Amino acid sequence: MQFKPLFGLLAGLALIGNAAQAAKIELIVDYPYPDVFNSVHEEIAKRFTQKFPDYTVKFRAPTPEYEAAAQQALRHAVTRQLADVSYQGLNRQRVFVDRNIAVDLTPFIKAEKDWDKSGYSPALMSLGQVNGKQAGIGFSLSTPIVYYNMDLLERAGVKADALPKTWDDIIAAADKSRAANAGTNGLHYDWEITGNWLWQAMVFSKGGRMLDPSETKVAFDDAIGRESIAQMGRMVEHGTMQNLKYKDATQLFVTGKLAVLSSSTSRLSTIEKQIGGKFKMVTGFFPTYGESARVPAGGNVAMMFTKDPERQKAAWEYIKFATGPEGATLMTKATGYFPANTLPVDDPAQLKGYYDANPNQYTAVRQLPWLTGWYAFPGENGLKITDVINDHLQTVFDKSAKPDAALEAMTRDVQKLLK
């Protein structure tokens, strides 16, 4: 009989242990671009679980890029396997709002004390807003920029403090570099990235738009659109740019065989590591034209997909941590992206002084006054439209179609998908 209290105590402890175990939530998280983000997400998850020991984080195998991430999530919505938190491209949020997959984060934000002091500026928050809902919170942001090999260009008379300001000037500088440096290439424009981001960038930088205000008619077939695709045609017209995949072009650039590369600032850390000390590289603004000029934000947001209230609490804490000062600092230092949170920029323990020591990364931040949203095409065919634009741009860069003919065909095919 004297053992009963002991058995009772052990049983009680077991119940407490089971309750604690039951309270522990394993968050399921997915994200794209493993080559850029694997180490970042692992470190963020490690620090998050140290701060919140009742939660753990399990990552799904990452997808190679934004389009694959969106397609995977749409499949998981059908099979009821959605992640609790999903990192999606800025221009892919709309599809999840339209299908009622994304959880509106507005109620969570309103429940926060002093949210206005948390470093989430209205301008940066707007990048995660779709149709009146806060669909996502910015995690990593980028802009298109231009990378210059100054060793090659200085031999052609181009100085780092007087970089070309227009695409025609960039083409001319790249051609001068080819002439001054035998066996090298001139320019590569990373038009393939996410299918249509740099098409949007070219059009927006001249004050144009993708669709009309009603979103029922193509608008990139106007004078600005015609000049934009003609500009792309001039890149390849005289061999300044070769018909190369990004992987091959960047290999030429990091080995000192390409003078100019235009792509996302997200590529910066990888490119700098690959260059090492082989040559001097500087970054410059993406060319803009006129007062209406804009450059589209790239990057991704953290979205909440779980509808379970308890899992939502955990997911919200994770989203705040990943996009907040600590997560933003980790992400910025490990990649070429800039944060969607302003607090670490002025904190000596985080990013204050970091951009002074890394001026190439600061180029994208300096472009913030021109920042605009990454346009998401509406309707069931939104993803298909991206593929169509990509296919028609290919014909410009491989010279199988004249730029004006490519634009006409692109306009026709996109218009059909809008209907």
Side-chain angles (χ1 to χ4, degrees), residues 181-385:
N181 301 278
T184 64
N185 287 42
L187 163 72
H188 185 78
Y189 187 75
D190 186 16
W191 63 273
E192 288 180 293
I193 188 169
T194 73
N196 77 141
W197 189 51
L198 283 186
W199 167 241
Q200 291 191 23
M202 186 67 78
V203 174
F204 293 165
S205 71
K206 302 174 189 300
R209 56 190 305 152
M210 291 293 102
L211 302 182
D212 71 353
S214 70
E215 295 192 309
T216 60
K217 188 177 185 302
V218 168
F220 57 65
D221 61 341
D222 62 1
I224 290 176
R226 291 194 296 275
E227 166 52 27
S228 296
I229 206 156
Q231 181 70 77
M232 293 178 168
R234 292 197 291 276
M235 292 178 179
V236 297
E237 187 176 4
H238 301 298
T240 311
M241 175 175 164
Q242 303 296 311
N243 182 30
L244 299 173
K245 294 292 184 182
Y246 171 78
K247 182 179 179 181
D248 297 323
T250 194
Q251 188 61 32
L252 286 175
F253 186 75
V254 300
T255 55
K257 300 293 186 181
L258 177 68
V260 183
L261 171 68
S262 181
S263 187
S264 169
T265 184
S266 64
R267 314 273 203 195
L268 181 56
S269 290
T270 300
I271 286 174
E272 285 184 324
K273 289 174 185 176
Q274 290 176 329
I275 290 173
K278 291 193 285 290
F279 61 86
K280 178 184 177 183
M281 187 270 288
V282 301
T283 61
F285 289 156
F286 190 88
T288 54
Y289 304 78
E291 293 183 0
S292 299
R294 296 289 182 268
V295 290
N300 59 75
V301 296
M303 305 184 75
M304 185 190 296
F305 287 165
T306 179
K307 300 296 197 296
D308 179 88
E310 287 303 311
R311 301 189 73 81
Q312 285 183 343
K313 291 178 184 177
W316 178 239
E317 293 297 342
Y318 179 78
I319 289 172
K320 285 193 299 179
F321 185 84
T323 64
E326 189 169 350
T329 299
L330 289 169
M331 181 279 301
T332 300
K333 290 184 176 181
T335 71
Y337 289 93
F338 60 91
N341 191 292
T342 59
L343 290 184
V345 177
D346 296 319
D347 187 340
Q350 293 174 325
L351 292 177
K352 186 175 177 60
Y354 175 76
Y355 286 120
D356 291 335
N358 296 273
N360 280 333
Q361 287 209 1
Y362 197 51
T363 298
V365 180
R366 290 167 61 206
Q367 289 189 148
L368 282 175
W370 296 279
L371 204 64
T372 190
W374 184 0
Y375 186 72
F377 289 94
E380 294 291 325
N381 292 322
L383 296 176
K384 178 67 174 175
I385 287 172

Side-chain angles (χ1 to χ4, degrees), residues 8-36:
L9 176 62
L10 291 173
L13 290 173
L15 287 172
I16 292 171
N18 288 337
Q21 187 174 13
K24 197 165 190 175
I25 290 177
E26 182 181 66
L27 284 170
I28 307 300
V29 179
D30 60 24
Y31 64 90
Y33 291 108
D35 53 330
V36 176

